[in-house]
Amino acid sequence: MHNDRDVTEQRLARVLNERLRPAVHARSVPLDVAVWDVSGEPVPVHEGLAAPFRPARVGDRWGPAWTTSWFKVSGRIPEEWAGTSVEAVLDLGFSPHSPGFSAEGLVYRADGTAVKALNPRNIWLPVVEVALGGEEFVAFVEAAANPVVMHTGPDELTFGPTAVGARAPWLGDPASDPGEPLYRLRRLDLAVFDRGVHELVQDLDVLGQLMHELPAESPRRWQILRAVSQALDAIDLQDVSGGAVAARAALAPVLAAPAHASAHRLSAVGHAHIDTAWLWPLRETVRKVARTVSNVTQLMDDHPEFKFVMSQAQQLAWLKEHRPEVYARAQEKVKTGQFLPTGSLWVEPDTNITGGEALVRQFVHGKRFYLEEFGVETEEMWLPDTFGYNAALPQLMKLAGVRWFLTQKISWNTTNKFPHHTFWWEGIDGTRIFSHFPPVDTYNSDLSGAEVAHSVRNFQDKGGSSQSLIPFGYGDGGGGPTREMLARADRLRDLEGSARIEMEKPADFFERAHAEYEENGGAPVWSGELYLEFHRGTLTSQLATKQGNRRSEHLLREAELWAATAAVRHGHPYPYDALDRLWKTVLLHQFHDILPGTSIAWVHREAEETYAAVARELTDVTGAAQRALAGPPGGTVIFNAAPHARGGVPALGAGPRPEPADTPVPPVADGDGFVLDNGLVRVTVDGRGLITSAYDIAAGREALAPGAVGNLLQLHQDFPNQWDAWDVDVFYRNTVRDLTEADSVTATGEHVRVVRTFGDSRIEQTLTLPAGSRRLVIDTVVDWHEREKLLKAAFPLDIRAAHSTAEIPFGHVQRPTHTNTSWDAAKFEVCAHRFLHVGEPDWGAALVNDSSYGHDVTRDVRADGGTTTTVRLSLLRAARFPDPDADQGTHRLAYALVIGADLTDAVREGYRFNLPERTLPGSAAVAPLVRVDHEGVVVEAVKLADDRCGDIVVRLYESRGTRARATLTPGFPLASVTATDLLERPLDDPTSHQRSDADIQLTLRPFQILTLRLRPLPGS
């Protein structure tokens, strides 16, 4: 037999695309169409249904960007269609190459009931299963003209404004929209749904894809090829429907052949990754959620085996608020076990930049929503798409009652392939969580033959395990699974040559995978952070958004602390509802495309406005509580929300300052520069405004490397290969401009003021050295108008540091300063929260900041034999995509060099820098609600219990990575103390604390997080 494989495969592709797929809806009649274009924001459904429609027709253009058009489609089923299944085919003209970005239509019945969503590969609508003939049909479509910002072709992405031509300036900002329609109506018909042809299409689709993945020499491939050839011979291309039965019969034997006993098992889980904001605003995500849930619940009616996970509580809360009838459908399907609330989080947040207490509240509000709304205790952290994972997460997961962790993004690593797909992830405290990375390498699988085969080939843990998970369904912009995907899953359940696919709950997969590993000697372990070798620019992009989050996190801490203190001390009303609402607002904006700075201009503009409103309200909450505490006039009361005492004011307490304030020391002229000297450290600033000496007087040690200068601002070209707002590529270091020229360097009272101009930008910095402090503060105002540039501040230190120590939530991580391995070299830009420390065993320095996260640390050996460790802080970027004007404008930020600092100093100074003292008129001394006698044990939160019973909840952690014995002393008569989980439920933890009279003795392991619920004595 001659080899006709290529001919048959080409024949299959053409027949499928040009004859069979069109034949599924071959018999059709056009619908009558009318349209109403909404001016401005979307309108309620009832308004859209009652709108003044005007006639329209196929071929009409519609939809300037970000607008909504309502379509009314109506018609009559022909009498001759009696006994057939009838569907509507509604192709609104969305781009077919980006189905997960264009799930932008939602169909309603005349009574306003949502039926299902429309996207480019899901354009059918059920009308009647068995037509009588003559029935009237009417439906309404709410169609959003959302632009596809990034995609331009089937396999092409665009990453910059020039790539998308004239549309670029307005794609992410409706204020600049020229008003041109984006889409054109393609097809609006009533059609007979030919089920036999549809099933034949699915048979050939699955077999054709499987065939392409089998080796050319595989007998199974040739068996499928012969069957496909026979099936194609059985089809009359002028009467496809008439040959469908015979064609399917030719395929039946190869479809019936079972998978091999050793075939990999894939747990298929329906999913629709919906970015809570990204290339669309928050308001559009509210509608995307309604479309997607309508779509999947409709599929569940016809496919009882179909299971679908929904992983962000915020999205379901929106659904409940805005579309209660769609939410009711989800609740119905939760009861049948098909719709699975999943993930345990309020949104899918960024986990590098989000602070520790905020991550706690992500779990608290996420899990609590699922418990209250569905009675479901979620046990997994479902976070497929975020840009790295901090090493405190395993402990946080365990304390939230989470057993399993799923993500996928590590497959995007550009240097090192992660060695496992199923493993134990060990955090900084030793907690381990059973984790899985789906080897399909996408969270938007369509269950194609290529993706199924890739899952098997790519799986790293063969031998130890025989199964993995595959999330399937169109996503990013939503949509979810289609009936074609479900057809593939059905045919691949047990098919020779393929992995076995079974639709099931994630928990079923995790339980079985865990048990299998236990039988095979246990799963491998990965210890420490899961660093993503990609998207490092997200630590710096959109500074204003990051500042809003950092400020909000600390304002929430203050508001809870002082409101709880005022409630206990004076019966001041505790603002439960306001704090709950404000926390959820902040948590929402920690979504992994908002906080990292990778959304369109619209999203970040709204975020800045929201953060400003949050700050105003939290300032009011804090002010009201502090006024209740400050007492009658007569002096000044200092409030210290930091977890360490300062200036004689206790941690978490307030009172008149018993010691002189740490006022800045005045600069003294020194040649063409100035000296700042407070008796502890001496800092010299030269005529260029650069630090030439940072001398630790007590230690007799210079911090800066010989001949080097500190606070050197450096400007790099920043044009990554792709993903502009996301990426900083290592070659940025190849070009650098040192900003050494100053317009002016002057002494202004207690500061040294330095002004620099460069390009189209201006920087003004004031350098301040407080009395009694080792902290040189650099307050910076930047009028930033550069493009595709990265601004860093460098401190070359005379330190031989083997590693840097960076703050992460509830602790720190150490990263090598060398580049011995590719894993070390890939960490050329790293995350640190409030501090980054480098040091030798007996001396070190820390860089603290109030709003920056990106850092890099390099190490060089000098000619004199000494070592220079250079610590740099990333201040600003100027990406052009997806926001062409990202970071443009005026910013104020601050950072400080702490000279002669150990790790305890770094922790303390980081908190102090972000929690400045507040002063109010008054005369009262306010004792803290709790005191801790160990400087390494940090109180992270003090609040009243969420159940409103009046208990005080205290969350603390060991910050230095050592064991700690400490005493916690409540500032009120104590009735009882209980260790709890993050949701403030009792936890069996007999070793961490022991009550002793009025005190609580704490025994903490390194980096342990402990939440205590303190019940005051009644009447106290």
Side-chain angles (χ1 to χ4, degrees), residues 90 261 299 366 408 587 624 660 684 689 754 804 818 864 900 988:
L90 306 176
L299 279 175
Q408 178 271 324
L587 300 180
T684 304
V754 182
S804 64
H818 59 69
D864 66 2
D988 183 16

Side-chain angles (χ1 to χ4, degrees), residues 341-603:
T342 303
S344 304
L345 299 164
W346 187 247
V347 297
E348 292 181 4
D350 173 273
T351 64
N352 278 325
I353 304 168
T354 301
E357 188 61 24
L359 286 170
V360 167
R361 306 307 173 94
Q362 289 283 355
F363 284 108
V364 168
H365 288 289
K367 292 202 59 141
R368 191 169 287 153
F369 182 88
Y370 294 135
L371 280 165
E372 292 175 353
E373 293 294 322
F374 304 106
V376 172
E377 175 86 38
T378 53
E379 292 188 314
E380 63 285 309
M381 181 172 171
W382 183 282
L383 190 58
D385 180 23
T386 198
F387 311 138
Y389 309 82
N390 76 73
L393 280 171
Q395 184 177 188
L396 290 174
M397 283 189 263
K398 183 175 182 180
L399 290 172
V402 168
R403 301 173 62 197
W404 325 115
F405 172 57
L406 179 140
T407 189
Q408 178 271 324
K409 206 68 173 186
I410 295 296
S411 69
W412 287 40
N413 273 6
T414 55
T415 304
N416 299 284
K417 184 177 179 63
F418 195 80
H420 310 297
H421 282 105
T422 307
F423 60 100
W424 288 103
W425 180 20
E426 181 179 298
I428 53 174
D429 73 310
T431 299
R432 292 180 176 180
I433 292 291
F434 196 69
S435 305
H436 182 65
F437 294 169
V440 67
D441 286 349
T442 179
Y443 40 80
N444 293 326
S445 172
D446 62 2
L447 296 183
S448 67
E451 290 177 345
V452 170
H454 178 72
S455 293
V456 178
R457 287 193 298 265
N458 188 44
F459 188 57
Q460 296 290 291
D461 303 298
K462 298 180 181 73
S465 178
S466 61
Q467 52 205 306
S468 60
L469 187 145
I470 184 166
F472 71 96
Y474 293 129
D476 282 323
T482 65
R483 63 183 177 186
E484 289 76 16
M485 296 177 198
L486 298 183
R488 289 172 190 159
D490 179 63
R491 286 159 176 78
L492 295 173
R493 182 180 293 114
D494 190 12
L495 183 62
E496 183 184 353
S498 171
R500 285 189 174 90
I501 288 184
E502 182 172 347
M503 282 191 278
E504 61 181 353
K505 301 176 182 178
D508 293 339
F509 159 75
F510 276 107
E511 291 281 8
R512 194 173 55 254
H514 178 260
E516 182 182 37
Y517 259 121
E518 290 303 300
E519 293 174 0
N520 292 329
V525 176
W526 180 270
S527 179
E529 67 180 327
L530 293 170
Y531 177 91
L532 178 65
E533 296 172 355
F534 205 40
H535 291 358
R536 301 167 182 90
T538 60
L539 300 174
T540 306
S541 294
Q542 297 283 7
L543 173 62
T545 298
K546 291 174 171 59
Q547 287 183 319
N549 177 75
R550 176 78 72 89
R551 185 181 182 197
S552 295
E553 289 179 344
H554 289 85
L555 286 172
L556 281 161
R557 171 195 174 95
E558 291 188 78
E560 288 185 335
L561 168 66
W562 301 123
T565 305
V568 173
R569 297 281 183 251
H570 301 295
H572 184 74
Y574 190 81
Y576 291 101
D577 293 334
L579 289 171
D580 180 84
R581 171 175 47 79
L582 290 164
W583 262 116
K584 288 175 179 174
T585 299
V586 173
L587 300 180
L588 164 61
H589 287 83
Q590 290 167 343
F591 179 74
H592 64 253
D593 278 306
I594 304 177
L595 184 52
T598 53
S599 292
I600 56 174
W602 188 347
V603 172

